[in-house]
Amino acid sequence: METVITLVAAALLIALGTGLIHRLNAQHDARIVAHHFGDPYPSVSRPPGHSHPGPPERIADRRPTGTWP
């Protein structure tokens, strides 16, 4: 009888731990989505008013890198 109770208790603890980890991961994912980390493609020019312009001589020298259009 003690073995059955021990197995049930262990299964219950595993289920509660799994549920807790799932909720913590969902919370963490929500925080990541809400946080703005920066420009995904900083080499691509953005629409006017949405970027931080540099000195005029540096803007002329800037060219996109990579194969992203």
Side-chain angles (χ1 to χ4, degrees):
M1 184 66 179
E2 293 90 15
T3 306
V4 173
I5 293 173
T6 303
L7 290 175
V8 170
L12 182 63
L13 286 175
I14 289 171
L16 289 174
T18 304
L20 177 65
I21 290 172
H22 178 70
R23 289 184 61 183
L24 288 174
N25 282 337
Q27 239 182 4
H28 183 62
D29 290 342
R31 287 185 188 143
I32 288 174
V33 168
H35 185 73
H36 179 69
F37 286 102
D39 295 336
Y41 302 105
S43 65
V44 176
S45 63
R46 297 171 68 186
H50 292 279
S51 63
H52 302 288
E57 64 275 3
R58 299 207 60 196
I59 291 175
D61 295 336
R62 192 182 307 168
R63 56 197 133 125
T65 59
T67 58
W68 194 79

